Amino acid sequence: MNALSVSDLSVEYRLRSGVVRALDRVSFEARAGEILGVVGESGSGKTTAAFAVLGLLDPAARVTSGRADFEGRDLLGMRPAERDGLRGRDLAIVFQNPRAALNPIRSIGAQIGDVIARHAPAPADAIRAKALAALRAVRIADPERRMAAFPYELSGGLCQRAGIAIALACAPRLLIADEPTTGLDATTQAVIMDLIRDMASERGIAVILITHDLALAWRYCDRVAVMHAGQVVETAPREALFAHARHPYADKLLRSAPANADNLDALEPIEGDPPNLMRADLPPCRFSERCSRRQAICDVGPLVLQPVGPEHAVACRRPL
């Protein structure tokens, strides 16, 4: 069952220097109990899409089209106060930088309690008990002591677990994890991702994992959406995508990953640069100017995701 269905989402930033067309008709689905990986180069729009869904966009940004249906309700069409009521309770996010995301002058227990008190008011003892349970759920040792700790007293891995505890304290049905393992060592990365995967499976949470780490997507995601320059170019089950990516960009992205090369000489870099999103003449396919398969038909738009296999869709006139 789809917990979240995003369709034709477009976002632009209005700056003094011009308009940045950050997202162009982005579509993807997140399902209960599964992890959807959203992958792509830096600047491809992964975080912008997540922030648009949650109502966390910068004031300079505005949604120009699209829907984000969460259990039958369009998040983009809601009043801000209504969406604020869902965020933290039904919708949650784990931010990229755990230490920066936490309030440095409040204890970990107080920060978890703030979320619980906001969305599920209860006596102080009951809130404390729920906060302790949240820390135990993310497998933090000695949770009673950690409740009183401040972020600067914890390691990066413990800060990230605390961030996950805050996100899960009110049992959300959708969790967005934005580069949750950035800056963590390999062992701690595995612990954090195992935790997120187990929570998704045990609690039936729909998880959107934003990452540029293809090895992470391969190990933990059920399905993957590939983004390039503000467009979703391919969506597929993990195995289908990694076995045979159909969009030229997705194929090159996989070939450029270190895990897919025996040595540095075997790496295949993606030639060229993403287009300037402030251009007024952006082509229908924003990868076309870097693509060796480009033909005149590629400049006929708009492009939409078309099925090429079971649950496998690609936005390309000449798929592989």
Side-chain angles (χ1 to χ4, degrees), residues 254-276:
L254 293 177
R255 292 178 184 276
S256 70
N260 294 330
D262 295 329
N263 53 62
L264 289 176
D265 292 335
L267 287 175
E268 299 183 24
I270 303 175
E271 297 180 354
D273 298 309
N276 182 349

Side-chain angles (χ1 to χ4, degrees), residues 231-235 247-248 285 303-306 313-317:
Q231 296 178 323
V232 171
V233 299
E234 187 164 0
T235 62
H247 193 283
C285 173
L303 291 178
V304 295
L305 289 166
Q306 297 286 353
V314 62
C316 181
R317 301 290 187 193

Side-chain angles (χ1 to χ4, degrees), residues 88-294:
R89 185 187 68 197
D90 301 316
L91 313 169
I93 184 169
V94 177
F95 291 101
Q96 182 174 150
N97 186 335
R99 207 177 293 279
L102 295 170
N103 187 330
I105 61 172
R106 284 183 68 73
S107 69
I108 297 301
Q111 294 187 58
I112 300 174
D114 289 342
V115 176
I116 297 170
R118 167 72 172 81
H119 296 287
D125 288 349
I127 289 176
R128 175 177 171 78
K130 288 182 179 181
L132 274 171
L135 288 178
R136 292 191 183 101
V138 298
R139 304 165 195 167
I140 287 183
D142 196 1
E144 290 83 359
R145 183 165 64 90
R146 301 300 188 189
M147 283 273 288
F150 290 86
Y152 68 86
E153 298 177 297
L154 304 180
S155 67
L158 284 176
C159 281
Q160 193 60 290
R161 287 203 215 188
I164 295 171
I166 291 170
L168 298 179
C170 291
R173 296 190 291 278
L174 173 68
L175 174 68
I176 296 175
D178 186 6
E179 302 277 10
T181 60
T182 296
L184 303 180
D185 61 77
T187 300
T188 306
Q189 285 183 15
V191 170
I192 294 299
M193 286 309 307
D194 287 348
L195 177 60
I196 290 175
R197 180 183 58 192
D198 293 347
M199 289 293 181
S201 176
E202 294 168 5
R203 301 190 183 191
I205 301 170
V207 176
I208 298 175
L209 172 66
I210 297 170
T211 183
H212 62 270
D213 187 336
L214 296 175
L216 207 66
W218 165 253
R219 182 173 180 183
Y220 290 99
C221 295
D222 299 285
R223 293 177 300 111
V224 179
V226 181
M227 291 192 68
H228 172 267
Q231 296 178 323
V232 171
V233 299
E234 187 164 0
T235 62
R238 176 197 60 199
E239 295 88 348
L241 180 76
F242 280 81
H244 185 194
R246 302 296 303 275
H247 193 283
Y249 170 74
D251 178 66
K252 287 182 177 292
L253 186 69
L254 293 177
R255 292 178 184 276
S256 70
N260 294 330
D262 295 329
N263 53 62
L264 289 176
D265 292 335
L267 287 175
E268 299 183 24
I270 303 175
E271 297 180 354
D273 298 309
N276 182 349
L277 299 186
M278 296 182 70
R279 285 172 46 186
D281 61 342
L282 283 168
C285 173
R286 295 181 177 182
F287 185 66
S288 62
E289 294 170 343
R290 308 168 71 187
C291 184
S292 61
R293 295 175 60 82
R294 182 182 186 181

Side-chain angles (χ1 to χ4, degrees), residues 16-84:
R16 290 183 178 180
S17 53
V19 176
V20 178
R21 296 166 182 83
L23 296 183
D24 178 41
R25 290 171 289 115
V26 164
S27 298
F28 59 82
E29 297 174 346
R31 300 172 183 169
E34 289 188 356
I35 299 179
L36 169 70
V38 181
V39 304
E41 296 169 280
S42 296
S44 61
K46 305 183 295 294
T47 297
T48 296
F51 280 18
V53 168
L54 294 177
L56 296 175
L57 286 172
D58 185 273
R62 70 184 185 98
V63 175
T64 58
S65 69
R67 292 181 60 89
D69 289 308
F70 175 69
E71 299 181 345
R73 293 174 289 178
D74 179 19
L75 296 173
L76 303 181
M78 287 183 179
R79 300 188 312 275
E82 185 178 3
R83 185 159 52 183
D84 289 348

